[in-house]
């Protein structure tokens, strides 16, 4: 009995760690959608780019870990701005289907560019930090990477919430989210605000690539695809557009995935995850923490 309880606790901890990575990615999704009303499906591939930047600077360039991480975050933020300027800004007034197709095109472009530069064989991310594990009793050990991932996710979510609610730029983002034209009439630079939103979302993706690399160590050009899809699922699950919803959705998705792998079947894990999403959306279409928005016609 004690062994079963221990296994359950370990599985839940693993789920929290995986869910934290999903939450970090989902925060980027929910920011861009909540403010720019765009679904940036290339967001998952920014994670891959961020991970390759860490590999290039730390493993190949022999830079200190902190410097490699900072370069990865700055590069990812700049990449987000470039993607928004070249791919999404011309489609600001276009139908949502056009934006969706463009996002898929950008995703494949980034994957194939990484394939040309780094080839298809997986690359190993070096150990960035030596983090001591936490021992709970005699049978439960929580890895330092898991604690780091959980901690950085909570800190970033709190910081992002305070930024959006308390700062002048955050208030501008909320105004743009409500009505772009009205925000422009009030003197808000809508283009700059949306660009900054993409930069912050992409920087969050770089943090996710850091946590992913610490937990899974190997990366390849398609590394960001499935985490990106699942993080989008988490954002919808929690209520896309809601920062706490993205956090809650990511954590719950990670826990459900690990529990289904441990107690049901690894083959049906993805089916169970997406099945839970469908069930939630049938019961509450706006997601767990999402709010119904009434649009004027």
């Amino acid at each position: 009995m004690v062994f079963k309880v221990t296994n359950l606790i370990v599985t839940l901890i693993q789920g929290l760690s995986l869910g934290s990575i999903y939450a970090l990615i989902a925060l980027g999704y929910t920011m861009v959608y909540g403010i720019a009303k765009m679904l940036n499906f290339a967001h998952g591939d920014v994670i891959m780019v961020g991970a390759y930047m860490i590999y290039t600077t730390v493993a190949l360039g022999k830079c200190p870990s902190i410097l490699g991480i900072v370069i990865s975050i700055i590069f990812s933020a700049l990449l987000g701005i470039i993607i928004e300027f070249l791919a999404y800004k011309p489609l600001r007034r276009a139908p949502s289907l056009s934006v969706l197709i463009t996002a898929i095109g950008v995703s494949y472009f980034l994957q194939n560019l990484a394939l040309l530069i780094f080839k298809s064989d997986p690359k190993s991310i070096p150990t960035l930090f030596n983090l001591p594990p936490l021992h709970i009793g005699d049978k439960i050990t929580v890895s330092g990477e898991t604690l780091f991932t959980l901690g950085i996710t909570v800190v970033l979510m709190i910081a992002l919430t305070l930024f959006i609610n308390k700062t002048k730029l955050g208030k501008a983002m909320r105004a743009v989210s409500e009505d772009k034209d009205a925000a422009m009439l009030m003197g808000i630079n809508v283009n700059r605000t949306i660009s900054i939103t993409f930069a912050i979302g992409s920087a969050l993706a770089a943090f996710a690539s850091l946590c992913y690399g610490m937990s899974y160590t190997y990366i390849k050009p398609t590394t960001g695809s499935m985490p990106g899809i699942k993080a989008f699922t988490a954002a919808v699950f929690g209520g896309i557009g809601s920062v706490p919803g993205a956090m809650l959705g990511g954590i719950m998705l990670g826990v459900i995935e690990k529990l289904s792998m441990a107690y049901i079947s690894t083959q049906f894990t993805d089916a169970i995850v997406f099945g839970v999403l469908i069930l939630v959306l049938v019961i509450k279409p706006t997601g767990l923490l999402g709010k119904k928005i009434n649009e004027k016609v």
Side-chain angles (χ1 to χ4, degrees):
M1 181 65 180
V2 175
F3 181 73
K4 289 183 178 179
V5 172
T6 301
N7 282 350
L8 176 61
I9 294 173
V10 170
T11 302
L12 289 174
I13 292 171
Q14 292 173 348
L16 287 172
S17 177
L18 178 62
S20 295
I21 296 173
Y22 289 157
L24 278 174
I25 309 169
L27 285 172
Y29 270 119
T30 208
M31 269 201 71
V32 170
Y33 180 80
I35 294 166
K37 295 295 183 287
M38 293 179 179
L39 292 175
N40 180 21
F41 280 111
H43 187 67
D45 297 287
V46 178
I47 302 164
M48 174 268 296
V49 173
Y52 271 120
M53 283 304 299
I54 293 174
Y55 166 77
T56 302
T57 54
V58 179
L60 300 182
K62 305 301 179 183
C63 292
S65 297
I66 294 294
L67 179 59
I69 292 167
V70 171
I71 292 173
S72 173
I73 293 169
I74 294 173
F75 186 85
S76 298
L78 291 174
L79 178 63
I81 294 173
I82 293 169
I83 290 173
E84 190 277 330
F85 180 77
L86 294 178
Y88 299 136
K89 187 178 179 181
L91 302 176
R92 199 69 59 78
R93 303 285 181 179
S96 56
L97 183 60
S98 300
V99 179
L100 177 62
I101 294 171
T102 301
I104 294 171
V106 173
S107 173
Y108 279 113
F109 172 78
L110 291 175
Q111 286 183 29
N112 283 278
L113 184 62
L115 185 63
L116 286 172
I117 297 172
F118 297 101
K119 310 306 177 184
S120 60
D121 56 305
K123 308 296 183 185
S124 176
I125 294 183
T127 301
L128 300 174
F129 306 108
N130 291 316
L131 301 172
L134 173 66
H135 299 283
I136 304 173
D138 297 328
K139 298 183 178 181
I140 299 174
T141 300
V142 184
S143 69
E145 290 77 13
T146 296
L147 294 173
F148 177 83
T149 302
L150 287 169
I152 201 169
T153 303
V154 172
V155 168
L156 287 174
M157 190 205 72
I158 294 172
L160 191 60
T161 302
L162 291 174
F163 172 78
I164 291 172
N165 292 324
K166 300 296 183 181
T167 67
K168 185 177 179 180
L169 182 56
K171 292 175 183 177
M173 288 179 175
R174 285 189 287 145
V176 172
S177 173
E178 290 290 332
D179 191 322
K180 292 184 181 66
D181 294 328
M184 192 178 299
L185 291 173
M186 295 300 293
I188 295 172
N189 190 325
V190 173
N191 289 329
R192 187 187 69 176
T193 302
I194 292 177
S195 295
I196 292 173
T197 301
F198 270 83
I200 294 173
S202 298
L204 290 171
F207 278 106
S209 68
L210 163 65
C211 297
Y212 186 92
M214 290 174 65
S215 299
Y216 297 96
T217 67
Y218 286 96
I219 56 169
K220 55 184 179 179
T222 55
T223 288
S225 297
M226 187 52 71
I229 292 171
K230 288 185 177 178
F232 172 71
T233 302
V236 176
F237 190 14
I240 194 161
S242 167
V243 171
M247 178 76 176
L248 177 63
I251 294 294
M252 291 187 67
L253 202 72
V255 170
I256 290 169
E257 183 172 331
K258 286 297 182 181
L259 286 174
S260 62
M261 288 174 67
Y263 295 101
I264 301 175
S265 171
T266 55
Q267 294 179 339
F268 294 104
T269 299
D270 291 344
I272 292 168
V273 167
F274 293 118
V276 170
L277 171 68
I278 293 169
L279 181 62
V280 168
L281 292 181
V282 167
I283 298 171
K284 196 173 188 298
T286 56
L288 295 175
L289 299 182
K291 296 179 181 178
K292 186 177 180 180
I293 299 175
N294 295 318
E295 294 186 2
K296 295 180 181 180
V297 180

